[in-house]
């Protein structure tokens, strides 16, 4: 099956610093990537939809200037958490959509990145 | 009201038990429906799609009632390895493929 990787798998950073998370589709071209966030005991919440070569579309309540998304190629999207604060500590998961497949299985999830801000 | 609602559980059942999870969704224009499984500190993994005609995959049976906007998952003969959180997921129509997740129902199967 299709593989999506994320890097790093976990990161600890100090409050006020920025953290970049990479999401890569390893064996397919992902025209669309989705970034989700999951707090403990809660569901995955979509943060933004990223289309290659264009600006990301953010969900209501997600600060676009704080969560910078770049989707410069068909295999890589990055999420940068700027000026991180402890409340940004969460599990960040990306998914990538293989637009060449017209099936409901076309979205594949990365393994997630656990961010802890101290 | 949440777009996708589930009973968070936890459901604690003995091995071999049959357990049923329910889910309701609010957007009648939803296109596709899924059950995902998520293990602790891992990404969600697709368990099965859900169709109006009902579908079965081994011990798992999923059902969709569009009129009631209700989705169910039945697990028969529970195994210890079934312990996980089960996420009800809806894909709205014409929204670029985004998925909307329910809160998840936690299942713990005990020996």
């Amino acid at each position: 099956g299709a593989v999506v990787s994320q890097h790093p798998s976990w990161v600890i950073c100090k409050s006020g610093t920025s953290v970049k998370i990479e999401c890569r589709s390893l064996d397919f071209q992902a025209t669309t990537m989705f970034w989700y966030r999951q707090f403990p005991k809660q569901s995955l919440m979509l943060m933004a939809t990223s289309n290659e070569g264009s600006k990301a579309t953010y969900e209501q309540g997600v600060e676009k200037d704080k969560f910078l998304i770049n989707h410069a190629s068909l295999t890589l999207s990055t999420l940068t958490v700027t000026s991180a604060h402890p409340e940004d500590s969460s599990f960040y998961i990306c998914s990538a959509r293989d637009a060449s497949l017209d099936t409901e299985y076309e979205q594949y999830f990365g393994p997630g990145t656990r961010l802890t801000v101290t | 009201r949440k777009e996708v609602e589930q009973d968070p559980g936890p459901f604690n059942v003995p091995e071999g038990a049959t357990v049923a999870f329910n889910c309701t969704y609010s957007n009648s224009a939803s296109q596709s429906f899924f059950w995902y499984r998520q293990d602790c500190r891992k990404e969600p993994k697709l368990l099965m799609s859900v169709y109006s005609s009902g579908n079965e995959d081994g011990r798992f049976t999923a059902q969709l009632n569009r009129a009631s906007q209700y989705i169910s998952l039945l697990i028969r003969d529970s195994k210890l390895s079934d312990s996980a959180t089960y996420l009800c997921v809806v894909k709205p129509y014409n929204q670029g493929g985004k998925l909307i997740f329910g809160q998840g129902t936690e299942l713990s199967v005990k020996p």
Side-chain angles (χ1 to χ4, degrees), chain B residues 21-39:
Chain B
F21 302 139
N22 303 318
C23 169
T24 58
Y25 60 96
S26 60
N27 185 353
S28 60
S30 298
Q31 177 184 19
S32 305
F33 309 87
F34 311 93
W35 283 101
Y36 276 73
R37 171 194 169 127
Q38 186 176 27
D39 292 288

Side-chain angles (χ1 to χ4, degrees), chain A:
Chain A
V3 178
V4 174
S5 70
Q6 273 185 249
H7 177 79
S9 55
W10 59 270
V11 57
I12 300 173
C13 72
K14 292 189 175 182
S15 190
T17 61
S18 295
V19 174
K20 180 185 282 188
I21 302 170
E22 293 185 349
C23 177
R24 292 181 185 273
S25 57
L26 299 184
D27 53 0
F28 66 97
Q29 293 186 328
T31 51
T32 304
M33 288 184 172
F34 303 90
W35 286 97
Y36 296 84
R37 178 169 56 181
Q38 186 177 34
F39 293 108
K41 297 291 186 182
Q42 295 187 28
S43 186
L44 277 77
M45 296 297 295
L46 181 65
M47 299 175 66
T49 301
S50 166
N51 291 298
E52 185 265 338
S54 63
K55 290 184 179 180
T57 302
Y58 289 81
E59 295 297 301
Q60 191 173 12
V62 178
E63 299 175 59
K64 62 179 181 182
D65 294 329
K66 180 171 179 63
F67 299 99
L68 302 179
I69 291 173
N70 184 280
H71 192 163
S73 79
L74 286 171
T75 59
L76 173 65
S77 176
T78 61
L79 167 67
T80 301
V81 183
T82 62
S83 187
H85 291 284
E87 56 266 31
D88 297 323
S89 298
S90 188
F91 191 43
Y92 292 85
I93 306 174
C94 72
S95 70
R97 186 180 180 195
D98 186 348
S100 68
L101 300 177
D102 187 24
T103 74
E104 60 210 15
Y105 302 107
E106 77 271 19
Q107 194 170 148
Y108 304 96
F109 284 85
T113 296
R114 193 160 300 279
L115 170 65
T116 301
V117 185
T118 61

